[in-house]
Each structure stands twice: as structure tokens, then as C-alpha cells.
Amino acid sequence: MVEDKVAPDRIELEQRIDALTEEAYRLRETENFDRMLEIGGEAKRLSEEIHYLPGIGRSLGVLAFVHYLRSDLHLAIDECVRALQLLGDDPVHEGRLRGVLALIHWSLGNYDEMTREGDLAMELLAKSPDRADEAFGWVARAGMSHSLGDFNAAREHSEQALKVLEHSTPQLIAQGRAYAQIGAAHMELGDLDKALEFHRRALACGEESGNRLLISRSLNEMGATHWRKGDEEAAEKYLLQALQIRTDEGYSGAAITSLIDLGRLYLRRENLDQAMEYAVRAEKSAGAIGARPKLADAYQLISAISEKRGDLGDALSRFKAYQQIRETITGEQNQLRLRAMRLMAQVETLRAEQAATVNAEKMAAVGSLVAALAHEMNSPLGVIRSSADTLVRATARLGGEGVPDILRGNAETVSAAADRISSTIARLKSFAGIDLAEFREADLLEGIEQALEILAPEFGRRVVVVRDFQPIPRVSCFPAELNQVFLHLLRNCGQAIDGPGEVRIGSRPAGAGVRLSFADTGRGIAAEDLPRIFNAGFNREEARVRASLSLFTCLNIVQKHKGTIDARSVVGQGSTFTVTLPVAM
């Protein structure tokens, strides 16, 4: 009776943990990060108590997001890496984690890794039932593009976020953030009136939602935009309003930004006493919370003010302090950068090993299935063939015309069909490597023909197969594994063709090896996607997200045989995969 009760209790607890995780993610909307950390920590504790690995991974994703926002990159990296190891096949939460990793790489200056992780994140988040996931992803991409100086891309990403939100329940804060990013992009592009328009929209979203942080950000950005326009009085008014809200609400980091902006404004006006007042307040606040980048900015501002006052000693001292912090931050970022890349390489290796294990198990299952199928079919097939043979011989003895001729023709038809079934079973056994030594010399063209026969129902009349074979030597290999490569490549060729099309297969001698090509006249692969097609990851297929292992499997099998595989493609014209293998491993 106890066992009957344990399973429902565990299911209920897992559901509670998943609900807590989703509740924590929804708090992004209100930016209540303290509560988000609290709920994420509770979900992690409960998951660990019942050893619920996906729950641990999902809750670690929540914690990693908050720790990134609080600049604890060491902890955020560790949590992301561990979460990826525990999640399993969970595209939405992996997309959220990849988004956090993109932000971490952005902070560390790993821009190639930032782009890679960001692309993966957006591909996965597009399938999330919560449209806010994808919208937040686009807003984050906009911020990254803005920091890299690609302001047009920042604007486009923000507009994409707004487009996503059109098809969901109102998400005022997400909309406000997108408007703020568009306004910031217009400011950098020099369209200041347009920038103010979008900052006012962001402010309206903040006021309607009651989100004080968004209100203060919009006011601060409006102040910065008016400063760019040369309207210093309006700039001062909005910056002071933003500072007041940030101070009242305890937004320490944001308040320091407002203090520094006001200090710079007063320095430009040559109101040096007031400039120094705000700069010193920024210095003290940044020191109190350990915000070293902002502390460095405060030192730089104080140095400029002191130089303007003629206090060159203080100016030099503050500038040295600024340089020292920057050098320290740079050194730490370099260490973190290397550590993050090393840990992610370990994760990718682990995921590759897991995918290889899955593939090996699938191959073993296919072999077992073929063996069982052959065993179950061979016995009744033997009876059919024997009966047909007896019928043929009996009709031959009867002689004459009419009925014996009909019986003889029918018996020959049954016998031919039985031979065809028997031949199909033999091809399946040969393709799967049943009854053969695992490593041997093989005719690769025979393996290609077997793969084509298996795919014939898929290709039908829609796909025309063109063979361009030159004689090639037999290859020492694991035939069943290479047959799998041929099947995957040919199936991919067929699936890439939307309507009628052509699959061209070629074989050539290549020095001490052979070269095989598999080309299609399909839709092609975008240039930016080509470097990732052999990765074990996830692909979108109609309404589903599925594990993508076929090309990853091909790469591993070919590399196991000391060979190479590469792909060339032109969008709208098709793709060509070329496999080169040595005759002897």
C-alpha cells in the first residue's frame, strides 16, 4: 500500500516544483529578482530532496539568470553548466539557459560565443508556449547589438519583440523594455525626436504597469536624449526625476548611473561644485555595493572635474585609481572568459557522448528488430514457397489447358512474390549487419543501393535518383555503420526537396581512398547555418522540436573510419555532402 501512495505523491511534488520554476520566471515581468531568487532556491531544494534532476536543472536556470543580473558571473557560469547537464530533452528551458549564457559571454567579450548561444536560444524559445520567453530573448539580443554599436540590429530585434507580443496577452513591461531599446537605438543613430517618442511610449508602459524601475529608466533615457539635443534644462529635470525614484526604491546600481549622468551634465555646464557633489555620491554608493565598473566611472569623472579645477594631484590620483580598477576587471574577465569556454567545451563533449550512446542504442535496437522480423517472416515464408513449388509441380503433371494453366500462372506469381520478400529480408539483414563480421571489406556501392531500396517508398516518383558511379575499390570498414551514413544522407537529400527533384550520387577513387557524393536539388542551407549542421542539437520541424542526431551521427561514424565529411550548399539550388574514406583504416 505504501508503494501505491509514493508515486502520486512524487508526481504532485514534481508538478509543484515545475509550477514554482514557472512562477519564478514570470517574476521577470515585475523585475522582482529577490523573490525570483527565493522561489528558485525553494524549487532547487525540493528537487534535490527527491532527486528530481530536471527540476534541479530548471531551478538552476532561474538562479543563474538572477546571479548574472547581479554580476556574480562565476556562480552564474557554474549554474548554467550544471543545469545543461541535468535538463535532458527540454527545449524551452535549454533556450532560457542558452540566453543566459549568451548574456554572460556578452559581458565577458566572447562575441562569437555570444552569437552562437544567442542563435540557439532564439531557435528554441520560438517554440515556448509563453510568448514572453521569446520577447525577452529579442530584447536581450537588442541590448547586445546596441552595446556592439549595431544600432539598426538593436532596433530590429526590439521591433521583433513587439511583434511577438502582439500575439499574446499584454506584457506591458516587456513592451516598455522593447520601446526603450528602440529609443536608445534611434538616439545613437541621431534621430533624437524619434528616440524621445519611443522613450515616452516606454514611460507610458511603466506608468500603466506601475513598474518604478521602467519609469526611472525611461526618465533617465529621456534626460540623456534631451542632453544630446542641447536642451540641458529638460535633461536636468528628467535625470533628477529618475534619480529620485531610483533612490526612493533602493535601485542602487541604477541610481549611481543617474548620479554620474548628472555629474557629467554639471561638468559640461562648468558647475564644478555641483558636478563634484554628484560624482562623490556616485563614488561612495559604488564603493558601498562593490560595483567596480561604476566606481571606475566615478573616479574618471572626479579626475576630469579635479583637472578642470586645477587640482592636478587629485586628478592624477583618481585617474590612476580608475586605471587600476579597469585593469583588474579586464584581468578577471579574461580568466572568466577562459573558464566559461572551457566549461562549455566540457558540456558539449558530454552532450556528444550522450548522443553517441543514444545512437549506439538505436543501432542495436534496429539490428534486434531486423533479426526478429527476419526470424518471424522466414518460417511462414518457407511454407508459402514450399506450397507454391508443390503447386507448380502438380500443375505440370496435370498437363492440358485451361485450369492447370491458370493454376500454374498463379503459383508462379506467388513464388515470385515470395522470392521478392525473401530478397527484401536478405537486404535488411545485410544493411543492418546481421550474420556478418562487424569489421570487414565491403562494397560501398552495394550499401548505397540497399539504402536506396529502403528509401524507395519515401522517394516514390517525386525524387529521381541519378547514379554517376565510377569503379572504386572495396573498403575495410564497419559496413552496418557506413550503411547508416548512406541512409541518413540520402534521406536528408530527399527531405530537402519540397516538390519534384533530383538526388545525384557519385563515386570516385581518391588516392588511397574513395570519395562519395550525395547531392540534391532541394531548398539548400543558409550560409550562417552550415557551420552548425553537424552539431548534436535541436531542429525545428513543423510544429515539433526534435533531437537532431542524423548528421552528427554521420560525422562521428565517418571520423571513426578516419575519413572526412563536408557540406556545400546554395539556398534555392541544393546541397552536396561529400564523404571521403581511406581504403584501409
Side-chain angles (χ1 to χ4, degrees):
M1 295 297 293
V2 173
E3 290 182 358
D4 291 339
K5 189 175 187 302
V6 169
D9 283 353
R10 180 181 174 88
I11 291 171
E12 287 178 9
L13 190 51
E14 288 181 359
Q15 290 173 342
R16 181 188 169 199
I17 290 167
D18 292 342
L20 282 171
T21 303
E22 290 307 309
E23 181 184 349
Y25 273 112
R26 282 195 293 272
L27 289 171
R28 293 174 304 183
E29 177 71 7
T30 58
E31 297 179 332
N32 189 345
F33 300 125
D34 287 336
R35 180 63 177 154
M36 193 174 178
L37 198 63
E38 180 183 338
I39 295 175
E42 176 67 5
K44 178 172 175 286
R45 183 186 66 77
L46 292 173
S47 298
E48 289 172 340
E49 283 183 2
I50 63 170
H51 200 59
Y52 178 36
L53 298 184
I56 298 172
R58 292 164 189 163
S59 57
L60 282 170
V62 173
L63 302 180
F65 176 70
V66 178
H67 288 138
Y68 160 75
L69 290 174
R70 295 184 169 177
S71 300
D72 192 344
L73 299 187
H74 277 286
L75 189 53
I77 290 168
D78 287 341
E79 288 165 339
C80 282
V81 169
R82 189 171 173 225
L84 283 172
Q85 293 170 335
L86 297 174
L87 276 181
D89 185 359
D90 189 344
V92 172
H93 282 90
E94 182 180 355
R96 291 168 173 172
L97 272 170
R98 296 284 181 185
V100 176
L101 281 168
L103 290 167
I104 291 171
H105 284 300
W106 171 37
S107 299
L108 296 175
N110 297 335
Y111 299 125
D112 288 341
E113 294 298 313
M114 174 198 79
T115 301
R116 185 176 77 89
E117 296 293 346
D119 288 344
L120 282 171
M122 295 312 303
E123 183 177 347
L124 296 167
L125 292 176
K127 288 296 180 180
S128 174
D130 183 356
R131 305 303 288 166
D133 277 325
E134 187 179 2
F136 276 111
W138 284 117
V139 171
R141 292 298 296 272
M144 296 177 203
S145 297
H146 187 97
S147 71
L148 296 176
D150 191 348
F151 306 119
N152 284 316
R155 184 182 61 197
E156 290 168 6
H157 293 328
S158 300
E159 289 170 348
Q160 187 64 35
L162 292 172
K163 189 179 297 184
V164 168
L165 292 169
E166 285 176 1
H167 306 290
S168 66
T169 55
Q171 302 273 356
L172 287 171
I173 297 175
Q175 289 175 343
R177 285 179 171 179
Y179 287 140
Q181 287 287 4
I182 296 173
H186 279 300
M187 184 175 77
E188 296 298 339
L189 291 168
D191 192 345
L192 302 182
D193 290 333
K194 203 76 172 175
L196 282 174
E197 175 191 336
F198 279 96
H199 286 313
R200 290 190 189 103
R201 291 187 190 181
L203 179 61
C205 288
E207 290 173 339
E208 186 176 347
S209 65
N211 186 276
R212 303 279 283 169
L213 186 58
L214 179 57
I215 293 171
S216 67
R217 178 185 175 181
S218 303
L219 290 169
N220 206 84
E221 293 295 332
M222 289 170 69
T225 307
H226 278 293
W227 188 7
R228 285 279 190 96
K229 291 187 75 172
D231 187 350
E232 294 183 1
E233 286 187 11
E236 181 182 19
K237 181 183 76 171
Y238 288 119
L239 289 173
L240 285 171
Q241 288 178 4
L243 175 61
Q244 187 64 54
I245 293 172
R246 290 171 168 180
T247 303
D248 291 344
E249 298 295 331
Y251 303 145
S252 301
I256 295 167
T257 299
S258 295
L259 287 168
I260 290 172
D261 286 344
L262 283 162
R264 288 170 176 161
L265 174 65
Y266 292 129
L267 174 61
R268 182 163 131 177
R269 285 183 174 181
E270 296 197 0
N271 188 340
L272 302 184
D273 290 340
Q274 212 162 4
M276 184 63 80
E277 176 191 341
Y278 283 100
V280 170
R281 284 176 60 186
E283 175 195 8
K284 290 179 179 177
S285 297
I289 66 172
R292 290 180 301 167
K294 294 183 184 295
L295 181 59
D297 290 340
Y299 282 145
Q300 186 182 38
L301 177 58
I302 293 172
S303 175
I305 297 168
S306 295
E307 183 179 3
K308 201 77 174 176
R309 281 177 161 180
D311 189 348
L312 300 183
D314 186 59
L316 181 60
S317 171
R318 300 290 186 163
F319 189 75
K320 284 181 178 179
Y322 158 76
Q323 284 186 315
Q324 184 178 2
I325 292 175
R326 283 295 174 194
E327 288 170 3
T328 302
I329 292 172
T330 300
E332 290 177 355
Q333 284 183 325
N334 288 337
Q335 292 176 4
L336 268 177
R337 184 180 296 122
L338 292 172
R339 184 164 177 270
M341 296 180 74
R342 184 170 61 249
L343 286 172
M344 286 308 300
Q346 291 174 2
V347 170
E348 295 302 329
T349 300
L350 177 63
R351 291 169 75 86
E353 290 172 353
Q354 291 171 339
T357 300
V358 170
N359 179 59
E361 291 171 353
K362 287 170 66 178
M363 287 185 67
V366 168
S368 299
L369 179 63
V370 170
L373 180 65
H375 176 75
E376 291 297 324
M377 291 182 66
N378 272 331
S379 295
L381 185 61
V383 174
I384 294 170
R385 296 184 69 179
S386 177
S387 299
D389 183 59
T390 300
L391 187 58
V392 169
R393 285 187 280 108
T395 53
R397 288 183 182 181
L398 287 172
E401 299 178 356
V403 173
D405 290 335
I406 294 172
L407 291 174
R408 186 183 302 108
N410 188 55
E412 288 172 352
T413 300
V414 172
S415 181
D419 287 340
R420 184 177 176 185
I421 295 172
S422 180
S423 175
T424 299
I425 291 173
R427 286 196 301 270
L428 281 171
K429 291 173 69 177
S430 174
F431 183 83
I434 307 297
D435 299 336
L436 295 173
E438 190 174 20
F439 184 81
R440 65 183 179 88
E441 281 192 355
D443 180 352
L444 300 188
L445 298 184
E446 181 181 330
I448 291 173
E449 292 294 349
Q450 291 169 354
L452 286 170
E453 289 175 4
I454 290 171
L455 292 170
E458 288 186 34
F459 285 5
R461 296 182 178 180
R462 181 178 65 87
V463 177
V464 176
V465 177
V466 178
R467 296 165 175 83
D468 180 17
F469 293 156
Q470 290 185 9
I472 56 174
R474 294 170 70 85
V475 171
S476 297
C477 62
F478 297 90
E481 293 187 7
L482 288 181
N483 287 348
Q484 191 182 16
V485 171
F486 305 148
L487 183 68
H488 282 321
L489 292 178
L490 288 167
R491 174 168 281 138
N492 280 347
C493 287
Q495 290 175 344
I497 300 171
D498 294 323
E502 214 173 70
V503 171
R504 298 184 295 275
I505 314 165
S507 65
R508 300 287 187 274
V514 298
R515 181 175 294 114
L516 306 170
S517 61
F518 303 83
D520 63 69
T521 57
R523 68 185 75 92
I525 304 166
E528 61 269 23
D529 292 331
L530 270 176
R532 296 195 292 123
I533 61 172
F534 292 107
N535 293 349
F538 290 88
N539 282 338
R540 281 185 288 178
E541 183 178 292
E542 297 177 351
R544 298 182 295 115
V545 175
R546 62 178 177 85
S548 168
L549 295 176
S550 62
L551 292 178
F552 171 78
T553 297
C554 292
L555 175 65
N556 278 274
I557 291 173
V558 170
Q559 288 179 341
K560 176 180 177 179
H561 286 78
K562 311 300 182 187
T564 61
I565 180 170
D566 65 73
R568 291 178 291 106
S569 187
V570 177
V571 174
Q573 297 183 24
S575 306
T576 301
F577 290 85
T578 304
V579 176
T580 304
L581 295 163
V583 170
M585 288 174 61

